[in-house]
């Protein structure tokens, strides 16, 4: 038999006990970059610093000839150009987005895939049209179940050739809080190519895989969608044979702006003794963040941080701060978030075969310099 697509892609697997990151994973990591953690200082992430994740290639697109089709089980299918979408009343929402695979490379055993540490996150202001407005205009039929979103990007994954497609249940797709957007602007400017130019879906509170980029088709279906990214990928499985639970909303997480200054190679941080203001951000897509605690002794003791008061941006991260009195020596810092559902970040790794939703507390090693030494 001649070459087949299955011959191109390796099956999902776990790294062996001493197996390092491969050149293939490095190639993925170079394409799909994270948020440099010092950029947690920005309330709204400048677009070039927002994390990026693209399964296949970034499609080449021209706004002037882009068409969005809304069809399937609807009374009146819609065919919309970008200018026509811009004619609807615009909604602007600040949304923190995180990849479901964030934290994957820190797991033991490590699922072999995009090797994120903790930096697959960013916050942007998205402008667009509420999806519920478009669905109401098209008129979803009485038998509608799912709404499927198709991107213009095409590839092969574990031997399966596909367009990037994900679905939302109808009630989520036409929900008001969170309100799903068909977005055409990021931070007030046209979407950058890597973030879905000219149109993308934004699903506040949900992990990144739901926010379909280069959106070209919306299809209302009368049966649950069983595409690869829905039924095979993005499921929580302990065993390859499990059907698994789907990945949906973002679990709580807090991250620190790395204090002091870094070593070039190890990226270990150096600070000088005395009062060090630790700052960071915390978010949860399940329920609002209610508290952040900080540990400066590798998780032995925890102290409440000061959380910024809630504001109008329910779906964006919140800033927190904590004053640490640093003494010379080696320290490991961390922060953990709790949300209004009572979910708190675990101190043991939440493991599954895909390496999804690993919101284990961040570990930030810091060297506090001796004032009488070389500091
Ligand atoms: N069409 C398409 N949409 C996509 C993807 C993709 O590969 N193709 N990746 C998804 C994943 S897994 C994530 S985490 C987010 C990342 O969005 P960003 O690159 O704008 O940060 O886009 C999602 N939307
Ligand atoms: Mo992702």
């Amino acid at each position: 038999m001649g070459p087949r697509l299955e011959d191109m892609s390796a099956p999902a697997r776990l790294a062996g006990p001493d197996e390092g990151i491969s050149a293939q994973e490095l190639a993925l990591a170079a394409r799909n970059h994270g948020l440099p953690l010092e950029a947690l200082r920005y309330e709204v992430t400048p677009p070039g610093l927002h994390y990026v994740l693209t399964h296949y290639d970034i499609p080449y697109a021209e706004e002037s000839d882009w068409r969005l089709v809304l069809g399937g089980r609807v009374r009146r299918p819609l065919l919309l150009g970008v200018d026509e979408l811009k004619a609807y009343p615009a909604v602007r929402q600040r949304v923190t987005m995180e990849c479901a695979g964030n934290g994957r490379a820190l797991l033991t055993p490590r699922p072999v895939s995009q090797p994120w540490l903790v930096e697959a996150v960013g916050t942007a202001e998205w402008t667009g049209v509420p999806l519920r407005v478009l669905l109401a205009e098209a008129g979803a039929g009485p038998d509608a179940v799912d709404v499927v979103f198709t991107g213009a990007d095409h590839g092969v994954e574990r031997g399966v050739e596909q367009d990037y497609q994900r679905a939302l249940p109808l009630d989520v797709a036409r929900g008001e809080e969170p309100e799903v957007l068909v977005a055409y602007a990021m931070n007030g400017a046209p979407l950058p190519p890597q973030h879905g130019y000219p149109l993308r879906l934004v699903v506040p509170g949900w992990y990144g895989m739901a926010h379909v980029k280069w959106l070209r088709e919306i299809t209302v279906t009368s049966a649950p969608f069983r595409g690869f990214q829905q039924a095979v990928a993005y499921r929580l499985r302990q065993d390859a044979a499990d059907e698994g639970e789907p990945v949906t909303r973002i679990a709580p997480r807090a991250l620190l702006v790395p204090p002091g200054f870094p070593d070039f190679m190890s990226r270990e941080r150096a600070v000088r003794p005395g009062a060090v203001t630790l700052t960071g951000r915390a978010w949860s897509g399940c329920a609002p963040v209610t508290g952040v605690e900080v540990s400066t002794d590798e998780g032995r003791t925890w102290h409440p941080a000061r959380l910024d008061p809630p504001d109008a941006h329910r779906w964006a991260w919140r800033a927190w701060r904590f004053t640490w009195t640093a003494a010379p020596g080696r320290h490991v810092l961390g922060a953990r978030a709790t949300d209004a559902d009572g979910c708190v970040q675990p101190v043991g790794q939440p493991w599954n075969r895909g390496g999804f939703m690993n919101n284990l507390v961040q570990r930030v090693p810091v060297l506090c310099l001796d004032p009488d030494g070389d500091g």
Side-chain angles (χ1 to χ4, degrees):
M1 202 174 347
R4 293 155 19 121
L5 284 174
E6 291 91 296
D7 304 329
M8 294 181 81
S9 16
R13 67 179 190 91
L14 305 174
D18 296 313
E19 183 181 333
I21 302 275
S22 65
Q24 277 188 357
E25 287 168 286
L26 173 61
L28 278 176
R31 289 183 58 81
N32 299 313
H33 67 78
L35 173 86
L37 291 182
E38 61 273 27
L40 286 165
R41 290 194 176 90
Y42 298 92
E43 186 123 343
V44 174
T45 311
L49 299 180
H50 192 285
Y51 88 96
V52 171
L53 193 123
T54 299
H55 285 231
Y56 314 127
D57 288 350
I58 298 169
Y60 178 84
E62 300 277 2
E63 185 174 302
S64 53
D65 54 27
W66 196 266
R67 292 291 174 276
L68 175 66
V69 179
L70 199 171
R73 315 295 278 208
V74 296
R75 281 189 294 278
R76 285 174 305 278
L78 305 180
L79 179 65
L80 297 163
V82 178
D83 279 346
E84 289 166 293
L85 275 167
K86 287 180 180 167
Y88 285 83
V91 167
R92 187 164 169 142
Q93 286 214 62
R94 186 177 299 175
V95 175
T96 294
M97 198 189 302
E98 182 178 16
C99 180
N102 203 14
R104 176 185 290 129
L106 298 171
L107 290 168
T108 313
R110 176 173 62 83
V112 175
S113 183
Q114 166 68 30
W116 292 123
L117 300 168
V118 294
E119 62 295 270
V121 65
T123 296
E125 297 249 348
W126 303 100
T127 308
V129 184
L131 178 63
R132 62 186 176 83
V133 170
L134 302 178
L135 287 172
E137 187 174 325
D143 58 348
V145 174
D146 269 358
V147 184
V148 182
F149 305 92
T150 304
D153 48 333
H154 188 88
V156 54
E157 209 161 325
R158 288 184 245 164
V160 181
E161 186 177 343
Q162 57 190 286
D163 294 332
Y164 186 90
Q165 286 188 307
R166 283 278 309 180
L168 290 172
L170 181 67
D171 59 327
V172 175
R174 60 181 177 197
E176 274 184 65
E177 190 63 6
E179 185 167 64
V180 179
L181 293 184
V182 174
Y184 47 76
M186 181 186 195
N187 301 355
L191 301 180
Q194 69 273 27
H195 292 296
Y197 177 84
L199 296 177
R200 82 171 306 167
L201 202 68
V202 173
V203 190
W206 283 56
Y207 279 112
M209 73 282 152
H211 304 230
V212 176
K213 302 190 274 190
W214 312 293
L215 182 64
R216 61 173 184 78
E217 206 167 314
I218 300 175
T219 313
V220 177
T221 63
S222 57
F225 177 63
R226 300 283 304 158
F228 182 92
Q229 305 297 342
Q230 204 86 20
V232 180
Y234 299 110
R235 299 189 80 94
L236 305 172
R237 293 189 174 92
Q238 294 300 314
D239 278 300
D242 290 353
E243 199 202 336
E245 284 296 310
V247 175
T248 58
R249 287 183 178 237
I250 301 175
R253 189 195 295 272
L255 290 178
L256 285 105
V257 173
F261 53 92
D263 172 59
F264 171 64
M265 270 313 293
S266 67
R267 297 214 54 87
E268 189 181 7
R269 315 298 303 185
V271 300
R272 305 208 191 277
V276 177
T277 303
L278 302 177
T279 63
R281 308 258 171 205
W283 61 93
S284 167
C286 304
V289 170
T290 50
V292 172
E293 296 161 287
V294 170
S295 174
T296 58
D297 56 7
E298 201 150 13
R300 279 186 288 277
T301 58
W302 292 93
H303 313 279
R306 210 179 77 220
L307 194 59
D308 270 8
D311 57 17
H313 305 290
R314 156 65 189 101
W315 304 105
W317 54 26
R318 276 168 71 185
W320 57 265
R321 63 179 52 234
F322 177 82
T323 304
W324 171 42
T325 307
R330 289 191 181 271
H331 305 275
V332 176
L333 314 185
R336 68 179 183 196
T338 303
D339 71 19
D341 281 350
C343 295
V344 57
Q345 286 183 253
V347 288
Q349 62 167 14
W351 192 90
N352 54 77
R353 284 191 66 90
F356 300 121
M357 298 179 75
N358 175 20
N359 64 340
L360 178 68
V361 170
Q362 181 192 16
R363 200 174 176 280
V364 184
V366 176
L367 182 67
C368 179
L369 304 169
D370 182 343
D372 303 322
D374 65 359

